[in-house]
Amino acid sequence: MTTIRAQNTKRETISRLLAVAEREFGAKGLEGARVDDIARAAGVTKQLVYNYYRSKDELFASLLDEASAQAMSEMVELELDHLPAPQALRTFLNHHFDQYRRYPLLGLTVMEENRQHGMHISSRNKFPELTPSLVEKLRVILERGAATGDFRSGIDPAAFLATSVLITAGCFVNCHCLSVMMGVDLSTVDGMDAWRAHSADFVLAAVRASESGDSPRPSIPRSAGAVLVPM
């Protein structure tokens, strides 16, 4: 019983530590977050943190592994076969967008790993392992859409996945630059809602067959105050 209780205590401590670390990294980034602050907020000693993780980078990598596994597994398990191809693709894109809202660490992860050339992507990370499954899921949707005349044929699903993910996540990983270029605030709830719809419309327009009925929505509205309204 003592051993089981100790194991449960360790799991609870690690879970609390990771939750605090996720908030700290999300708010301050990898460089700005400090192990002292994480330990203090988690109610543990700095020495205990280093007992579980050899460095701040290893702690960050552990969070990256967890967030990646959760997000990728959700996308792979998403049920889309019952939906018409255009609706299935929009659902896929919207779900991907919503993950960035639910898991703020994803945006930070993309920015940090691009800057660090993937330094924190460990052998335990599910991203490389599950990516082919996502490519296959999109291949099925694109081919279904081509068969019904909704989509163009001959679209490379791997290139399409890379491009659509880049566009969909744009307001999270390039929020400031895009807000300045567009004259809108993509960090607001209304801004995110508008980008969610706009990015899906943009991607669907890129694959749509010339006679498809899935017509695009109006462009993102702008105002002098640079505040977006819901779409």
Side-chain angles (χ1 to χ4, degrees), residues 16-223:
R16 186 171 69 252
L17 176 61
L18 290 175
V20 170
E22 181 175 357
R23 290 198 300 270
E24 287 290 311
F25 285 127
K28 303 174 183 176
L30 178 58
E31 291 187 2
R34 299 176 64 247
V35 174
D36 294 282
D37 295 335
I38 293 172
R40 188 180 306 109
V44 299
T45 65
K46 183 178 179 179
Q47 288 70 27
L48 184 61
V49 176
Y50 285 125
N51 183 52
Y52 295 145
Y53 304 97
R54 290 173 295 181
S55 66
K56 183 172 71 171
D57 285 319
E58 187 174 288
L59 175 57
F60 182 74
S62 178
L63 284 170
L64 190 160
D65 289 344
E66 184 175 318
S68 177
Q70 182 69 28
M72 292 295 285
S73 296
E74 282 183 8
M75 294 302 296
V76 168
E77 294 168 6
L78 196 60
E79 292 289 341
L80 300 171
D81 291 344
H82 64 291
L83 298 173
Q87 187 179 348
L89 182 53
R90 185 178 293 276
T91 300
F92 180 94
L93 296 169
N94 285 344
H95 191 83
H96 176 257
F97 181 95
D98 292 340
Q99 286 184 323
Y100 276 80
R101 276 181 158 173
R102 288 186 287 117
Y103 307 123
L105 194 66
L106 287 178
L108 172 65
T109 293
V110 172
M111 291 185 286
E112 287 290 350
E113 291 316 294
N114 282 330
R115 191 170 67 86
Q116 299 286 345
H117 305 289
M119 183 182 77
H120 299 94
I121 299 179
S122 74
S123 60
R124 299 184 303 275
N125 194 284
K126 296 292 184 180
F127 181 75
E129 175 187 334
L130 294 179
T131 293
S133 297
L134 280 190
V135 172
E136 175 62 16
K137 183 179 287 287
L138 279 177
R139 183 192 65 76
V140 171
I141 295 173
L142 293 171
E143 289 186 355
R144 285 204 291 120
T148 58
D150 290 299
F151 297 158
R152 294 184 290 106
S153 60
I155 299 172
D156 184 318
F160 178 80
L161 174 62
T163 305
S164 61
V165 163
L166 182 65
I167 294 170
T168 305
C171 79
F172 296 98
V173 298
N174 292 297
C175 180
H176 178 71
C177 291
L178 292 181
S179 294
V180 171
M181 282 189 277
M182 296 172 62
V184 298
D185 187 356
L186 296 178
S187 68
T188 66
V189 172
D190 287 347
M192 290 182 189
D193 287 344
W195 185 267
R196 182 180 186 268
H198 167 71
S199 60
D201 288 341
F202 190 91
V203 172
L204 279 161
V207 299
R208 187 179 298 120
S210 58
E211 299 302 319
S212 173
D214 186 21
S215 56
R217 300 181 186 182
S219 301
I220 294 180
R222 293 163 176 76
S223 67

